[in-house]
Amino acid sequence: MVLREKLVKGFKEGVVVPEGLIAHGRGECFDYILGEETIAPALKAEKAAAAALLLARHPVISVNGNTASLAAEEVVKLAEEVGAKIEVNLFYRTEERAAKIREVLMRAGAKEVLGVEDATATIPELESERRRVSPEGILKADVVLVPLEDGDRTEALRRLGKTVIAVDLNPLSRTSRAASITIVDNVVRALPKIRAFARELKGYTDKDKRKIIDEYDNEAILKETLRHIKERLDSLTQQGISLNLLPRN
Ligand code: PTJ
């Protein structure tokens, strides 16, 4: 309910688009199925994401309307922890909304937000407004964190040789299947967890961080996620799910 209210507020302020409310509903549905908690495969992906962000030369966190409304402060804190740039990138882009999202991020403590007036470069082979990026941000990035993304841009960024870290509650979306590291978790839980791992991994050598990434297998993580969902539904089917709260006459 709290998240829903944040999004409705964001919608009324012109930060979130109507399609963002629909996307949130889809996300809520998957979150119920996951049990509204961070599951084991998501934790593994969050650790790998932290290692990738720390090892990156030019890490960037891409922010859209939903992410700004739900987790602006967490975006800023994570960016500080891993030394990443923050860039506004919108599927339903208008210059006015991009500026509003920058404002939300600045109020949350960001010192610099790319992707507004400086979104002068384009990602090749991408039709949507998401192709507009900053030459100092996503264009140059080697690792990009993309919460609530669309599949087309994930694929386009991969084709450019970038490591793409997706946060998406739907393990079957094209984004989830195309990303280098897929975190099937709610963005509001995922960002603080990546930050906690980043803090821990700062004590590791680069070689040890590299080992975490080399041993990470996204296909295996997606399969583990689907198995988790299947086993949870199987166990609920066996236990029964009725709340039995109402007395029967
Ligand atoms: O702000 P804009 O213009 O960039 O538009 C943002 C939306 C989200 C409307 C746009 O990127 C879009 O249409 O995205 P999709 O294709 O609907 O994908 C959003 C994905 O995020 C879906 O797979 C949802 O299940 C998932 N999702 C929704 N809420 C959350 C989420 N994943 C993680 N955390 C959430 N809170």
Side-chain angles (χ1 to χ4, degrees), residues 225-244:
T225 305
L226 292 179
R227 262 198 313 277
H228 177 98
I229 291 173
K230 181 178 175 298
E231 281 161 18
R232 181 159 193 275
L233 294 179
D234 280 347
S235 119
L236 286 171
T237 313
Q238 278 153 24
Q239 284 166 25
I241 56 163
S242 140
L243 293 175
N244 287 323

Side-chain angles (χ1 to χ4, degrees), residues 181-196:
I181 298 175
T182 306
I183 300 170
V184 180
D185 200 2
N186 198 312
V187 66
V188 300
R189 294 191 299 268
L191 298 184
K193 291 215 164 62
I194 302 171
R195 183 159 59 91

Side-chain angles (χ1 to χ4, degrees), residues 78-98:
L78 177 60
E80 273 171 14
E81 191 70 49
V82 300
K85 294 200 162 162
I86 300 174
E87 176 163 345
V88 177
N89 183 273
L90 302 177
F91 191 83
Y92 302 100
R93 185 182 178 97
T94 65
E95 293 316 310
E96 192 193 347
R97 197 156 76 88

Side-chain angles (χ1 to χ4, degrees), residues 17 19-20 23-24 26-27 30 64-66 70 89-92 97 130 148-149 167-170 173 185-187:
V17 281
E19 293 83 349
H24 182 72
R26 264 203 316 285
F30 281 102
N64 63 12
N66 286 46
L70 292 175
N89 183 273
L90 302 177
F91 191 83
Y92 302 100
R97 197 156 76 88
R130 278 207 192 273
L148 280 80
E149 181 67 6
V167 181
D168 191 332
L169 280 160
N170 178 1
S173 73
D185 200 2
N186 198 312
V187 66

